[in-house]
Amino acid sequence: AQSVAQPEDQVNVAEGNPLTVKCTYSVSGNPYLFWYVQYPNRGLQFLLKYITGDNLVKGSYGFEAEFNKSQTSFHLKKPSALVSDSALYFCAVRDNNFNKFYFGSGTKLNVKP
Amino acid sequence: ETGVTQSPTHLIKTRGQQVTLRCSSQSGHNTVSWYQQALGQGPQFIFQYYREEENGRGNFPPRFSGLQFPNYSSELNVNALELDDSALYLCASSTNRGGNTIYFGEGSWLTVV
């Protein structure tokens, strides 16, 4: 069965500092991995995905994620955090057979001025 | 903006009642999936519709049902509402190609009292 884990409920970082939001996965077959962001009282917005190819994936708003097969991780990163990046971040893995996505429990990112 | 629209945005129902939530998919997308997001949790897959048929279901009871129409819009129906059904219901649309991304609407907030 597919699953993802987000080990941190909350990440605090100062504006301008680099940020990392962690995600590990468990899949059978090739992993299709995604990151979404959710602002308060809103739906989920797609940030980036890894399907195949380069292990470093670049996405929206300056975010990137590094796929590490040996560590079964897909951590979300940004070189310089903004206060406006404060939101809830979800890692997800797609089922190989159809569009069922398994989401992690989410990590709340707080960026302080 | 993802082009996925949901209605209503908020509603309050009484335990035992029935509710219908609606979703219009993004142009060019033929697949619609529904997710339930309880407070403080990640989205949970309810089911998916492709070509007007359900082709995948999560761990939800039969009182959760749906429809997809020829224009690919969709409805989620929940009968015999329970207090635990209170959640944000998210619709997501996509194509049916492998590795594709799902794009979410803003959701419908359901409160059962």
Side-chain angles (χ1 to χ4, degrees), chain A residues 32 34 36 38 41-46 49 51 88 90 94 98-106, chain B residues 31 35 37 41-43 45 48 55-56 88 90 94-95 97-102 104-106 109:
Chain A
Y32 294 163
F34 297 75
Y36 286 82
Q38 186 176 36
N41 302 313
R42 304 293 298 277
L44 276 69
Q45 296 180 26
F46 168 71
K49 67 180 178 183
I51 303 300
L88 192 55
F90 289 97
R94 179 186 177 273
F98 61 103
N99 279 349
K100 180 176 182 179
F101 278 55
Y102 299 84
F103 285 86
S105 55
Chain B
T31 303
Y35 288 78
Q37 185 180 16
Q41 298 182 22
F45 176 77
Q48 173 182 281
N55 75 337
L88 177 65
L90 295 163
S94 64
T95 65
R97 292 192 293 270
N100 52 327
T101 302
I102 59 173
F104 286 89
E106 295 295 326
W109 284 98

mmCIF file of all heavy atoms in Angstrom, chain A residues 32 34 36 38 41-46 49 51 88 90 94 98-106, chain B residues 31 35 37 41-43 45 48 55-56 88 90 94-95 97-102 104-106 109:
data_model
loop_
_atom_site.group_PDB
_atom_site.id
_atom_site.type_symbol
_atom_site.label_atom_id
_atom_site.label_comp_id
_atom_site.label_asym_id
_atom_site.label_seq_id
_atom_site.Cartn_x
_atom_site.Cartn_y
_atom_site.Cartn_z
ATOM 1 N N TYR A 32 5.074 8.217 -7.532
ATOM 2 C CA TYR A 32 4.631 9.494 -8.087
ATOM 3 C C TYR A 32 4.347 10.393 -6.887
ATOM 4 O O TYR A 32 3.380 10.182 -6.168
ATOM 5 C CB TYR A 32 3.358 9.329 -8.914
ATOM 6 C CG TYR A 32 3.503 8.515 -10.179
ATOM 7 C CD1 TYR A 32 2.378 8.002 -10.823
ATOM 8 C CD2 TYR A 32 4.738 8.254 -10.739
ATOM 9 C CE1 TYR A 32 2.496 7.266 -11.993
ATOM 10 C CE2 TYR A 32 4.867 7.517 -11.904
ATOM 11 C CZ TYR A 32 3.747 7.020 -12.522
ATOM 12 O OH TYR A 32 3.863 6.283 -13.660
ATOM 13 N N PHE A 34 4.076 14.207 -4.797
ATOM 14 C CA PHE A 34 3.540 15.546 -4.990
ATOM 15 C C PHE A 34 3.655 16.354 -3.685
ATOM 16 O O PHE A 34 3.640 15.784 -2.593
ATOM 17 C CB PHE A 34 2.057 15.491 -5.375
ATOM 18 C CG PHE A 34 1.777 14.809 -6.680
ATOM 19 C CD1 PHE A 34 1.833 13.430 -6.798
ATOM 20 C CD2 PHE A 34 1.430 15.554 -7.783
ATOM 21 C CE1 PHE A 34 1.578 12.794 -8.000
ATOM 22 C CE2 PHE A 34 1.156 14.927 -9.003
ATOM 23 C CZ PHE A 34 1.234 13.551 -9.105
ATOM 24 N N TYR A 36 1.608 19.801 -2.057
ATOM 25 C CA TYR A 36 0.539 20.781 -2.158
ATOM 26 C C TYR A 36 0.637 21.726 -0.965
ATOM 27 O O TYR A 36 1.115 21.346 0.110
ATOM 28 C CB TYR A 36 -0.839 20.102 -2.140
ATOM 29 C CG TYR A 36 -1.217 19.391 -3.410
ATOM 30 C CD1 TYR A 36 -0.760 18.098 -3.675
ATOM 31 C CD2 TYR A 36 -2.033 20.001 -4.357
ATOM 32 C CE1 TYR A 36 -1.112 17.449 -4.845
ATOM 33 C CE2 TYR A 36 -2.401 19.351 -5.532
ATOM 34 C CZ TYR A 36 -1.929 18.085 -5.767
ATOM 35 O OH TYR A 36 -2.283 17.432 -6.928
ATOM 36 N N GLN A 38 -1.746 24.550 1.409
ATOM 37 C CA GLN A 38 -3.111 24.963 1.743
ATOM 38 C C GLN A 38 -3.052 26.184 2.645
ATOM 39 O O GLN A 38 -2.511 26.131 3.750
ATOM 40 C CB GLN A 38 -3.870 23.829 2.437
ATOM 41 C CG GLN A 38 -5.338 24.125 2.678
ATOM 42 C CD GLN A 38 -6.096 22.952 3.270
ATOM 43 O OE1 GLN A 38 -5.564 22.200 4.072
ATOM 44 N NE2 GLN A 38 -7.342 22.770 2.859
ATOM 45 N N ASN A 41 -8.551 28.163 5.228
ATOM 46 C CA ASN A 41 -9.901 28.145 4.664
ATOM 47 C C ASN A 41 -9.896 28.097 3.135
ATOM 48 O O ASN A 41 -10.816 28.612 2.494
ATOM 49 C CB ASN A 41 -10.708 29.347 5.146
ATOM 50 C CG ASN A 41 -10.809 29.388 6.658
ATOM 51 O OD1 ASN A 41 -11.103 28.375 7.279
ATOM 52 N ND2 ASN A 41 -10.543 30.529 7.247
ATOM 53 N N ARG A 42 -8.894 27.488 2.563
ATOM 54 C CA ARG A 42 -8.794 27.360 1.111
ATOM 55 C C ARG A 42 -8.592 25.909 0.718
ATOM 56 O O ARG A 42 -8.304 25.045 1.538
ATOM 57 C CB ARG A 42 -7.611 28.207 0.586
ATOM 58 C CG ARG A 42 -7.642 29.670 0.952
ATOM 59 C CD ARG A 42 -8.789 30.400 0.271
ATOM 60 N NE ARG A 42 -8.712 30.402 -1.156
ATOM 61 C CZ ARG A 42 -7.979 31.256 -1.876
ATOM 62 N NH1 ARG A 42 -7.281 32.185 -1.276
ATOM 63 N NH2 ARG A 42 -7.972 31.191 -3.187
ATOM 64 N N GLY A 43 -8.703 25.655 -0.589
ATOM 65 C CA GLY A 43 -8.381 24.331 -1.105
ATOM 66 C C GLY A 43 -6.879 24.150 -1.214
ATOM 67 O O GLY A 43 -6.100 25.005 -0.791
ATOM 68 N N LEU A 44 -6.466 23.014 -1.769
ATOM 69 C CA LEU A 44 -5.048 22.712 -1.907
ATOM 70 C C LEU A 44 -4.531 23.203 -3.251
ATOM 71 O O LEU A 44 -5.185 23.016 -4.279
ATOM 72 C CB LEU A 44 -4.813 21.202 -1.811
ATOM 73 C CG LEU A 44 -4.683 20.608 -0.405
ATOM 74 C CD1 LEU A 44 -6.007 20.667 0.338
ATOM 75 C CD2 LEU A 44 -4.178 19.190 -0.481
ATOM 76 N N GLN A 45 -3.348 23.813 -3.212
ATOM 77 C CA GLN A 45 -2.713 24.280 -4.448
ATOM 78 C C GLN A 45 -1.497 23.417 -4.757
ATOM 79 O O GLN A 45 -0.677 23.157 -3.879
ATOM 80 C CB GLN A 45 -2.263 25.735 -4.298
ATOM 81 C CG GLN A 45 -3.376 26.729 -4.091
ATOM 82 C CD GLN A 45 -2.846 28.140 -3.950
ATOM 83 O OE1 GLN A 45 -1.768 28.459 -4.456
ATOM 84 N NE2 GLN A 45 -3.589 28.990 -3.269
ATOM 85 N N PHE A 46 -1.380 22.996 -5.998
ATOM 86 C CA PHE A 46 -0.261 22.179 -6.452
ATOM 87 C C PHE A 46 1.028 22.999 -6.468
ATOM 88 O O PHE A 46 1.057 24.126 -6.973
ATOM 89 C CB PHE A 46 -0.573 21.652 -7.845
ATOM 90 C CG PHE A 46 0.589 21.027 -8.558
ATOM 91 C CD1 PHE A 46 1.091 19.803 -8.147
ATOM 92 C CD2 PHE A 46 1.172 21.656 -9.644
ATOM 93 C CE1 PHE A 46 2.153 19.215 -8.808
ATOM 94 C CE2 PHE A 46 2.228 21.078 -10.324
ATOM 95 C CZ PHE A 46 2.716 19.860 -9.896
ATOM 96 N N LYS A 49 5.850 18.169 -8.494
ATOM 97 C CA LYS A 49 5.732 16.715 -8.474
ATOM 98 C C LYS A 49 6.991 16.062 -9.005
ATOM 99 O O LYS A 49 7.749 16.670 -9.775
ATOM 100 C CB LYS A 49 4.526 16.267 -9.313
ATOM 101 C CG LYS A 49 4.670 16.526 -10.811
ATOM 102 C CD LYS A 49 3.428 16.045 -11.554
ATOM 103 C CE LYS A 49 3.522 16.337 -13.044
ATOM 104 N NZ LYS A 49 2.279 15.926 -13.775
ATOM 105 N N ILE A 51 7.894 12.579 -11.029
ATOM 106 C CA ILE A 51 7.407 11.387 -11.733
ATOM 107 C C ILE A 51 8.599 10.515 -12.116
ATOM 108 O O ILE A 51 8.635 9.314 -11.846
ATOM 109 C CB ILE A 51 6.593 11.765 -12.981
ATOM 110 C CG1 ILE A 51 5.414 12.669 -12.575
ATOM 111 C CG2 ILE A 51 6.084 10.523 -13.703
ATOM 112 C CD1 ILE A 51 4.452 12.049 -11.597
ATOM 113 N N LEU A 88 -0.063 25.526 5.389
ATOM 114 C CA LEU A 88 -0.031 24.097 5.682
ATOM 115 C C LEU A 88 0.421 23.366 4.424
ATOM 116 O O LEU A 88 -0.120 23.602 3.338
ATOM 117 C CB LEU A 88 -1.442 23.659 6.087
ATOM 118 C CG LEU A 88 -1.663 22.298 6.711
ATOM 119 C CD1 LEU A 88 -0.787 22.105 7.934
ATOM 120 C CD2 LEU A 88 -3.132 22.145 7.086
ATOM 121 N N PHE A 90 1.286 19.760 2.391
ATOM 122 C CA PHE A 90 0.964 18.344 2.338
ATOM 123 C C PHE A 90 1.806 17.647 1.289
ATOM 124 O O PHE A 90 1.879 18.090 0.134
ATOM 125 C CB PHE A 90 -0.510 18.127 1.988
ATOM 126 C CG PHE A 90 -1.471 18.508 3.077
ATOM 127 C CD1 PHE A 90 -2.095 19.741 3.070
ATOM 128 C CD2 PHE A 90 -1.747 17.633 4.115
ATOM 129 C CE1 PHE A 90 -2.982 20.097 4.073
ATOM 130 C CE2 PHE A 90 -2.629 17.968 5.127
ATOM 131 C CZ PHE A 90 -3.241 19.213 5.104
ATOM 132 N N ARG A 94 0.745 9.226 -5.342
ATOM 133 C CA ARG A 94 -0.369 8.784 -6.184
ATOM 134 C C ARG A 94 -0.330 7.268 -6.348
ATOM 135 O O ARG A 94 0.732 6.688 -6.560
ATOM 136 C CB ARG A 94 -0.271 9.455 -7.552
ATOM 137 C CG ARG A 94 -1.353 9.069 -8.542
ATOM 138 C CD ARG A 94 -1.067 9.692 -9.905
ATOM 139 N NE ARG A 94 -2.031 9.301 -10.909
ATOM 140 C CZ ARG A 94 -1.944 8.205 -11.660
ATOM 141 N NH1 ARG A 94 -0.914 7.399 -11.516
ATOM 142 N NH2 ARG A 94 -2.862 7.935 -12.550
ATOM 143 N N PHE A 98 -4.582 4.383 -10.458
ATOM 144 C CA PHE A 98 -5.533 5.423 -10.798
ATOM 145 C C PHE A 98 -5.272 6.647 -9.938
ATOM 146 O O PHE A 98 -4.262 6.743 -9.265
ATOM 147 C CB PHE A 98 -6.977 4.940 -10.685
ATOM 148 C CG PHE A 98 -7.384 4.492 -9.316
ATOM 149 C CD1 PHE A 98 -8.166 5.291 -8.493
ATOM 150 C CD2 PHE A 98 -7.012 3.238 -8.834
ATOM 151 C CE1 PHE A 98 -8.558 4.867 -7.235
ATOM 152 C CE2 PHE A 98 -7.400 2.816 -7.565
ATOM 153 C CZ PHE A 98 -8.183 3.631 -6.773
ATOM 154 N N ASN A 99 -6.184 7.584 -9.982
ATOM 155 C CA ASN A 99 -5.896 8.896 -9.422
ATOM 156 C C ASN A 99 -6.087 9.015 -7.921
ATOM 157 O O ASN A 99 -6.265 10.110 -7.418
ATOM 158 C CB ASN A 99 -6.760 9.947 -10.109
ATOM 159 C CG ASN A 99 -6.173 10.364 -11.441
ATOM 160 O OD1 ASN A 99 -5.046 10.027 -11.744
ATOM 161 N ND2 ASN A 99 -6.948 11.085 -12.213
ATOM 162 N N LYS A 100 -6.028 7.931 -7.191
ATOM 163 C CA LYS A 100 -6.137 8.014 -5.750
ATOM 164 C C LYS A 100 -4.830 8.538 -5.187
ATOM 165 O O LYS A 100 -3.763 7.966 -5.427
ATOM 166 C CB LYS A 100 -6.449 6.642 -5.148
ATOM 167 C CG LYS A 100 -6.574 6.655 -3.632
ATOM 168 C CD LYS A 100 -6.973 5.285 -3.125
ATOM 169 C CE LYS A 100 -7.138 5.297 -1.608
ATOM 170 N NZ LYS A 100 -7.551 3.960 -1.096
ATOM 171 N N PHE A 101 -4.916 9.626 -4.450
ATOM 172 C CA PHE A 101 -3.771 10.223 -3.801
ATOM 173 C C PHE A 101 -3.834 9.938 -2.304
ATOM 174 O O PHE A 101 -4.901 10.039 -1.688
ATOM 175 C CB PHE A 101 -3.760 11.739 -4.017
ATOM 176 C CG PHE A 101 -3.199 12.171 -5.340
ATOM 177 C CD1 PHE A 101 -3.717 11.674 -6.525
ATOM 178 C CD2 PHE A 101 -2.171 13.088 -5.400
ATOM 179 C CE1 PHE A 101 -3.199 12.085 -7.746
ATOM 180 C CE2 PHE A 101 -1.648 13.510 -6.619
ATOM 181 C CZ PHE A 101 -2.169 13.008 -7.793
ATOM 182 N N TYR A 102 -2.694 9.591 -1.733
ATOM 183 C CA TYR A 102 -2.572 9.403 -0.291
ATOM 184 C C TYR A 102 -1.812 10.602 0.255
ATOM 185 O O TYR A 102 -0.656 10.834 -0.154
ATOM 186 C CB TYR A 102 -1.815 8.116 0.026
ATOM 187 C CG TYR A 102 -2.477 6.863 -0.482
ATOM 188 C CD1 TYR A 102 -2.290 6.438 -1.794
ATOM 189 C CD2 TYR A 102 -3.278 6.090 0.352
ATOM 190 C CE1 TYR A 102 -2.889 5.287 -2.267
ATOM 191 C CE2 TYR A 102 -3.879 4.935 -0.113
ATOM 192 C CZ TYR A 102 -3.682 4.539 -1.422
ATOM 193 O OH TYR A 102 -4.284 3.399 -1.889
ATOM 194 N N PHE A 103 -2.442 11.324 1.166
ATOM 195 C CA PHE A 103 -1.837 12.534 1.713
ATOM 196 C C PHE A 103 -1.261 12.275 3.102
ATOM 197 O O PHE A 103 -1.783 11.465 3.870
ATOM 198 C CB PHE A 103 -2.885 13.652 1.807
ATOM 199 C CG PHE A 103 -3.224 14.262 0.491
ATOM 200 C CD1 PHE A 103 -4.198 13.710 -0.328
ATOM 201 C CD2 PHE A 103 -2.568 15.406 0.056
ATOM 202 C CE1 PHE A 103 -4.511 14.277 -1.552
ATOM 203 C CE2 PHE A 103 -2.873 15.983 -1.169
ATOM 204 C CZ PHE A 103 -3.843 15.410 -1.972
ATOM 205 N N GLY A 104 -0.190 13.015 3.393
ATOM 206 C CA GLY A 104 0.310 13.011 4.747
ATOM 207 C C GLY A 104 -0.587 13.852 5.638
ATOM 208 O O GLY A 104 -1.577 14.427 5.192
ATOM 209 N N SER A 105 -0.207 13.931 6.890
ATOM 210 C CA SER A 105 -1.021 14.641 7.879
ATOM 211 C C SER A 105 -0.799 16.148 7.844
ATOM 212 O O SER A 105 -1.511 16.894 8.514
ATOM 213 C CB SER A 105 -0.729 14.106 9.275
ATOM 214 O OG SER A 105 0.663 14.186 9.527
ATOM 215 N N GLY A 106 0.184 16.583 7.070
ATOM 216 C CA GLY A 106 0.411 18.008 6.914
ATOM 217 C C GLY A 106 1.448 18.563 7.889
ATOM 218 O O GLY A 106 1.613 18.063 9.001
ATOM 219 N N THR B 31 -11.738 13.477 -15.435
ATOM 220 C CA THR B 31 -11.744 12.664 -14.216
ATOM 221 C C THR B 31 -11.951 13.570 -13.008
ATOM 222 O O THR B 31 -11.304 14.616 -12.897
ATOM 223 C CB THR B 31 -10.414 11.905 -14.065
ATOM 224 O OG1 THR B 31 -10.202 11.102 -15.228
ATOM 225 C CG2 THR B 31 -10.439 11.008 -12.839
ATOM 226 N N TYR B 35 -12.522 14.240 -2.017
ATOM 227 C CA TYR B 35 -11.756 13.997 -0.792
ATOM 228 C C TYR B 35 -12.475 14.632 0.392
ATOM 229 O O TYR B 35 -13.114 15.680 0.251
ATOM 230 C CB TYR B 35 -10.353 14.601 -0.906
ATOM 231 C CG TYR B 35 -9.444 13.845 -1.846
ATOM 232 C CD1 TYR B 35 -9.554 13.989 -3.220
ATOM 233 C CD2 TYR B 35 -8.487 12.967 -1.351
ATOM 234 C CE1 TYR B 35 -8.737 13.284 -4.078
ATOM 235 C CE2 TYR B 35 -7.653 12.255 -2.200
ATOM 236 C CZ TYR B 35 -7.787 12.426 -3.556
ATOM 237 O OH TYR B 35 -6.971 11.717 -4.407
ATOM 238 N N GLN B 37 -11.653 16.228 4.103
ATOM 239 C CA GLN B 37 -10.587 16.699 4.967
ATOM 240 C C GLN B 37 -11.179 17.141 6.306
ATOM 241 O O GLN B 37 -11.782 18.207 6.411
ATOM 242 C CB GLN B 37 -9.808 17.855 4.338
ATOM 243 C CG GLN B 37 -8.608 18.285 5.160
ATOM 244 C CD GLN B 37 -7.820 19.425 4.546
ATOM 245 O OE1 GLN B 37 -8.292 20.117 3.650
ATOM 246 N NE2 GLN B 37 -6.599 19.626 5.015
ATOM 247 N N GLN B 41 -6.453 17.345 9.699
ATOM 248 C CA GLN B 41 -5.985 16.138 9.025
ATOM 249 C C GLN B 41 -5.737 16.385 7.548
ATOM 250 O O GLN B 41 -6.153 17.401 6.994
ATOM 251 C CB GLN B 41 -7.014 15.019 9.186
ATOM 252 C CG GLN B 41 -7.249 14.604 10.629
ATOM 253 C CD GLN B 41 -8.243 13.461 10.732
ATOM 254 O OE1 GLN B 41 -8.459 12.722 9.783
ATOM 255 N NE2 GLN B 41 -8.841 13.307 11.895
ATOM 256 N N GLY B 42 -5.067 15.433 6.918
ATOM 257 C CA GLY B 42 -4.891 15.490 5.477
ATOM 258 C C GLY B 42 -6.139 14.985 4.767
ATOM 259 O O GLY B 42 -6.969 14.292 5.355
ATOM 260 N N PRO B 43 -6.284 15.322 3.510
ATOM 261 C CA PRO B 43 -7.448 14.842 2.745
ATOM 262 C C PRO B 43 -7.471 13.323 2.632
ATOM 263 O O PRO B 43 -6.424 12.696 2.465
ATOM 264 C CB PRO B 43 -7.255 15.489 1.371
ATOM 265 C CG PRO B 43 -6.359 16.662 1.608
ATOM 266 C CD PRO B 43 -5.456 16.234 2.716
ATOM 267 N N PHE B 45 -9.251 10.144 0.498
ATOM 268 C CA PHE B 45 -9.915 9.829 -0.778
ATOM 269 C C PHE B 45 -11.265 9.173 -0.533
ATOM 270 O O PHE B 45 -11.363 8.184 0.197
ATOM 271 C CB PHE B 45 -8.998 8.898 -1.575
ATOM 272 C CG PHE B 45 -9.554 8.398 -2.868
ATOM 273 C CD1 PHE B 45 -9.591 9.219 -3.979
ATOM 274 C CD2 PHE B 45 -10.019 7.104 -2.985
ATOM 275 C CE1 PHE B 45 -10.074 8.744 -5.194
ATOM 276 C CE2 PHE B 45 -10.501 6.623 -4.186
ATOM 277 C CZ PHE B 45 -10.533 7.446 -5.287
ATOM 278 N N GLN B 48 -13.597 8.248 -7.059
ATOM 279 C CA GLN B 48 -13.223 8.902 -8.306
ATOM 280 C C GLN B 48 -14.214 8.516 -9.382
ATOM 281 O O GLN B 48 -14.712 7.387 -9.408
ATOM 282 C CB GLN B 48 -11.818 8.462 -8.717
ATOM 283 C CG GLN B 48 -11.381 8.942 -10.090
ATOM 284 C CD GLN B 48 -10.017 8.438 -10.450
ATOM 285 O OE1 GLN B 48 -9.020 8.974 -9.988
ATOM 286 N NE2 GLN B 48 -9.958 7.415 -11.279
ATOM 287 N N ASN B 55 -14.724 4.608 -10.556
ATOM 288 C CA ASN B 55 -13.650 3.648 -10.860
ATOM 289 C C ASN B 55 -12.588 3.624 -9.778
ATOM 290 O O ASN B 55 -11.430 3.337 -10.039
ATOM 291 C CB ASN B 55 -13.036 3.913 -12.242
ATOM 292 C CG ASN B 55 -12.130 5.121 -12.249
ATOM 293 O OD1 ASN B 55 -12.257 5.991 -11.412
ATOM 294 N ND2 ASN B 55 -11.205 5.173 -13.203
ATOM 295 N N GLY B 56 -12.980 3.899 -8.578
ATOM 296 C CA GLY B 56 -12.085 3.783 -7.428
ATOM 297 C C GLY B 56 -12.786 4.347 -6.220
ATOM 298 O O GLY B 56 -13.492 5.357 -6.315
ATOM 299 N N LEU B 88 -14.286 19.518 5.508
ATOM 300 C CA LEU B 88 -14.140 20.202 4.229
ATOM 301 C C LEU B 88 -14.140 19.144 3.141
ATOM 302 O O LEU B 88 -13.347 18.199 3.183
ATOM 303 C CB LEU B 88 -12.838 20.990 4.197
ATOM 304 C CG LEU B 88 -12.491 21.708 2.889
ATOM 305 C CD1 LEU B 88 -13.496 22.818 2.584
ATOM 306 C CD2 LEU B 88 -11.077 22.281 2.955
ATOM 307 N N LEU B 90 -13.472 18.292 -0.657
ATOM 308 C CA LEU B 90 -12.688 18.808 -1.771
ATOM 309 C C LEU B 90 -12.930 17.986 -3.028
ATOM 310 O O LEU B 90 -12.897 16.761 -2.990
ATOM 311 C CB LEU B 90 -11.199 18.770 -1.420
ATOM 312 C CG LEU B 90 -10.757 19.672 -0.275
ATOM 313 C CD1 LEU B 90 -9.398 19.243 0.245
ATOM 314 C CD2 LEU B 90 -10.716 21.115 -0.735
ATOM 315 N N SER B 94 -8.760 16.107 -13.099
ATOM 316 C CA SER B 94 -7.519 15.757 -13.780
ATOM 317 C C SER B 94 -7.857 15.083 -15.094
ATOM 318 O O SER B 94 -9.014 14.760 -15.376
ATOM 319 C CB SER B 94 -6.681 14.802 -12.915
ATOM 320 O OG SER B 94 -7.364 13.580 -12.747
ATOM 321 N N THR B 95 -6.828 14.844 -15.882
ATOM 322 C CA THR B 95 -6.971 13.925 -17.007
ATOM 323 C C THR B 95 -6.732 12.525 -16.471
ATOM 324 O O THR B 95 -6.421 12.355 -15.280
ATOM 325 C CB THR B 95 -5.961 14.248 -18.100
ATOM 326 O OG1 THR B 95 -4.648 14.009 -17.572
ATOM 327 C CG2 THR B 95 -6.069 15.691 -18.555
ATOM 328 N N ARG B 97 -4.358 10.479 -17.564
ATOM 329 C CA ARG B 97 -3.049 9.990 -17.988
ATOM 330 C C ARG B 97 -2.168 9.710 -16.777
ATOM 331 O O ARG B 97 -2.309 10.311 -15.725
ATOM 332 C CB ARG B 97 -2.380 11.017 -18.887
ATOM 333 C CG ARG B 97 -3.059 11.187 -20.229
ATOM 334 C CD ARG B 97 -2.177 11.992 -21.170
ATOM 335 N NE ARG B 97 -2.024 13.360 -20.728
ATOM 336 C CZ ARG B 97 -2.833 14.350 -21.079
ATOM 337 N NH1 ARG B 97 -3.861 14.116 -21.841
ATOM 338 N NH2 ARG B 97 -2.610 15.576 -20.661
ATOM 339 N N GLY B 98 -1.239 8.801 -16.937
ATOM 340 C CA GLY B 98 -0.342 8.450 -15.857
ATOM 341 C C GLY B 98 0.515 9.624 -15.415
ATOM 342 O O GLY B 98 0.950 10.421 -16.222
ATOM 343 N N GLY B 99 0.767 9.728 -14.116
ATOM 344 C CA GLY B 99 1.612 10.785 -13.586
ATOM 345 C C GLY B 99 0.961 12.142 -13.560
ATOM 346 O O GLY B 99 1.621 13.146 -13.262
ATOM 347 N N ASN B 100 -0.319 12.192 -13.866
ATOM 348 C CA ASN B 100 -0.970 13.496 -13.952
ATOM 349 C C ASN B 100 -1.225 14.090 -12.580
ATOM 350 O O ASN B 100 -1.296 13.404 -11.564
ATOM 351 C CB ASN B 100 -2.268 13.381 -14.736
ATOM 352 C CG ASN B 100 -3.153 12.281 -14.207
ATOM 353 O OD1 ASN B 100 -2.669 11.259 -13.725
ATOM 354 N ND2 ASN B 100 -4.439 12.468 -14.282
ATOM 355 N N THR B 101 -1.389 15.390 -12.584
ATOM 356 C CA THR B 101 -1.644 16.153 -11.363
ATOM 357 C C THR B 101 -3.146 16.310 -11.179
ATOM 358 O O THR B 101 -3.889 16.425 -12.153
ATOM 359 C CB THR B 101 -1.003 17.544 -11.488
ATOM 360 O OG1 THR B 101 0.405 17.380 -11.733
ATOM 361 C CG2 THR B 101 -1.209 18.375 -10.253
ATOM 362 N N ILE B 102 -3.598 16.309 -9.938
ATOM 363 C CA ILE B 102 -4.993 16.641 -9.668
ATOM 364 C C ILE B 102 -5.045 18.063 -9.140
ATOM 365 O O ILE B 102 -4.185 18.494 -8.363
ATOM 366 C CB ILE B 102 -5.659 15.653 -8.691
ATOM 367 C CG1 ILE B 102 -4.939 15.592 -7.344
ATOM 368 C CG2 ILE B 102 -5.726 14.272 -9.319
ATOM 369 C CD1 ILE B 102 -5.675 14.754 -6.300
ATOM 370 N N PHE B 104 -7.350 21.006 -7.258
ATOM 371 C CA PHE B 104 -8.449 21.081 -6.315
ATOM 372 C C PHE B 104 -9.263 22.364 -6.442
ATOM 373 O O PHE B 104 -8.740 23.433 -6.786
ATOM 374 C CB PHE B 104 -7.911 21.019 -4.880
ATOM 375 C CG PHE B 104 -7.442 19.660 -4.460
ATOM 376 C CD1 PHE B 104 -6.132 19.270 -4.678
ATOM 377 C CD2 PHE B 104 -8.315 18.771 -3.859
ATOM 378 C CE1 PHE B 104 -5.691 18.015 -4.300
ATOM 379 C CE2 PHE B 104 -7.882 17.504 -3.469
ATOM 380 C CZ PHE B 104 -6.570 17.132 -3.693
ATOM 381 N N GLY B 105 -10.536 22.236 -6.118
ATOM 382 C CA GLY B 105 -11.365 23.397 -5.899
ATOM 383 C C GLY B 105 -11.161 23.931 -4.493
ATOM 384 O O GLY B 105 -10.363 23.400 -3.712
ATOM 385 N N GLU B 106 -11.922 24.978 -4.155
ATOM 386 C CA GLU B 106 -11.777 25.607 -2.848
ATOM 387 C C GLU B 106 -12.496 24.835 -1.736
ATOM 388 O O GLU B 106 -12.284 25.092 -0.571
ATOM 389 C CB GLU B 106 -12.295 27.036 -2.890
ATOM 390 C CG GLU B 106 -11.491 27.954 -3.798
ATOM 391 C CD GLU B 106 -10.075 28.150 -3.294
ATOM 392 O OE1 GLU B 106 -9.863 28.166 -2.064
ATOM 393 O OE2 GLU B 106 -9.160 28.263 -4.129
ATOM 394 N N TRP B 109 -17.486 23.508 2.888
ATOM 395 C CA TRP B 109 -17.430 23.260 4.326
ATOM 396 C C TRP B 109 -18.806 22.765 4.780
ATOM 397 O O TRP B 109 -19.791 23.479 4.666
ATOM 398 C CB TRP B 109 -17.078 24.535 5.087
ATOM 399 C CG TRP B 109 -15.639 24.912 5.002
ATOM 400 C CD1 TRP B 109 -15.067 25.811 4.162
ATOM 401 C CD2 TRP B 109 -14.580 24.392 5.813
ATOM 402 N NE1 TRP B 109 -13.715 25.895 4.396
ATOM 403 C CE2 TRP B 109 -13.385 25.025 5.415
ATOM 404 C CE3 TRP B 109 -14.523 23.456 6.852
ATOM 405 C CZ2 TRP B 109 -12.151 24.759 5.996
ATOM 406 C CZ3 TRP B 109 -13.297 23.196 7.444
ATOM 407 C CH2 TRP B 109 -12.131 23.847 7.013
#
